[in-house]
């Protein structure tokens, strides 16, 4: 079960709205959605949570690049919404590097087999039980644990150390630290 919400800072405090992520395919789409909710280019936070698995916070301040924090990158890598947040930049990879490597391996046949021969080497057994995610992210290539900007909420009242300790009901605790618990609860 997923939960997603936007918190937009205004002169009068925070305004919350639940948000549907069905049409969001990229971080750019998510950033645009946040900017649309912004009042006078003020701070907007996007909360995404998969129950008891991981949560993510995306902070958009005006036209600045979004700042992202993910509580558990490995768990997020197994999620279609997590894939939106796990950008090449956040993972420290060259943009499009996975696509380039895959294309080169296909082009030159780096799997060690002849065309048309099945690959039955022990490391690449065709009956291997590895999950083959369609989302394009290899969970093994994603670091375990928290990832991203741990100071994303520090100036709003939630220090880095506290953010890193959050596990269950994290979004409620974050909203409470921001003074937005009541408005978040209205959309939950």
């Amino acid at each position: 079960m997923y939960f997603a919400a936007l918190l937009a800072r205004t002169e009068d405090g925070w305004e919350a709205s639940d948000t549907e992520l069905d049409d969001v395919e990229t971080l750019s789409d998510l950033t645009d959605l946040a900017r649309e909710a912004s009042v006078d280019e003020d701070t907007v936070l996007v909360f995404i949570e998969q129950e008891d698995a991981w949560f993510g916070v995306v902070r958009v301040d005006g036209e600045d690049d979004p700042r992202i924090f993910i509580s558990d990158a490995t768990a997020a890598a197994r999620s279609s919404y997590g894939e939106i947040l796990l950008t090449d930049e956040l993972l420290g990879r060259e943009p499009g590097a996975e696509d380039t490597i895959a294309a080169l391996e296909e082009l030159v046949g780096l799997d060690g087999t002849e065309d048309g021969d099945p690959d039955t080497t022990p490391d690449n057994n065709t009956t291997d039980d590895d999950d083959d995610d369609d989302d394009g992210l290899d969970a093994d290539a994603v670091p375990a644990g928290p990832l991203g900007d741990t100071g994303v909420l520090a100036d709003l009242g939630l220090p880095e150390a506290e953010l890193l300790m959050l596990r269950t009901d994290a979004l409620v605790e974050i909203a409470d630290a921001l003074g937005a618990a009541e408005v978040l609860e209205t959309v939950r």
Side-chain angles (χ1 to χ4, degrees):
M1 163 129 340
Y2 289 95
F3 171 72
L6 293 171
L7 277 182
R9 189 163 62 179
T10 68
E11 288 180 8
D12 300 324
W14 293 95
E15 290 181 8
S17 60
D18 60 345
T19 187
E20 203 45 59
L21 297 179
D22 291 342
D23 296 330
V24 174
E25 295 180 9
T26 65
L27 180 60
S28 180
D29 294 342
L30 188 61
T31 302
D32 290 344
L33 185 69
R35 286 188 177 121
E36 289 171 12
S38 176
V39 177
D40 297 325
E41 295 190 6
D42 214 340
T43 300
V44 176
L45 302 174
V46 180
F47 292 153
I48 301 173
E49 177 182 58
Q50 182 180 1
E51 193 171 279
D52 295 331
W54 68 277
F55 70 90
V57 178
V58 178
R59 178 177 177 165
V60 178
D61 293 301
E63 292 300 315
D64 292 347
D65 288 339
R67 296 169 58 192
I68 303 167
F69 173 78
I70 300 171
S71 66
D72 186 337
T74 304
R78 294 184 291 257
S79 159
S80 58
Y81 296 130
E83 180 186 60
I84 293 169
L85 305 181
L86 291 169
T87 63
D88 287 335
E89 181 179 347
L90 189 64
L91 293 168
R93 297 189 293 222
E94 279 293 317
E98 279 188 3
D99 296 336
T100 303
I101 291 169
L104 287 173
E105 286 175 347
E106 186 176 312
L107 180 65
V108 295
L110 292 179
D111 64 358
T113 63
E114 296 292 326
D115 288 340
D117 289 344
D119 184 6
T120 57
T121 59
D123 292 339
N124 234 349
N125 193 336
T126 55
T127 60
D128 202 355
D129 288 68
D130 290 342
D131 291 342
D132 195 10
D133 294 328
D134 291 332
D135 61 12
L137 286 176
D138 180 3
D140 294 334
V142 176
L147 183 67
D149 186 348
T150 57
V152 68
L153 301 171
D155 65 321
L156 299 174
L158 188 68
E160 292 179 37
E162 288 182 33
L163 180 63
L164 290 170
M165 291 189 310
L166 296 176
R167 294 292 172 248
T168 58
D169 293 326
L171 299 186
V172 172
E173 291 185 42
I174 291 170
D176 190 44
L178 302 176
E182 289 181 19
V183 293
L184 182 64
E185 192 58 38
T186 63
V187 297
R188 243 179 127 78

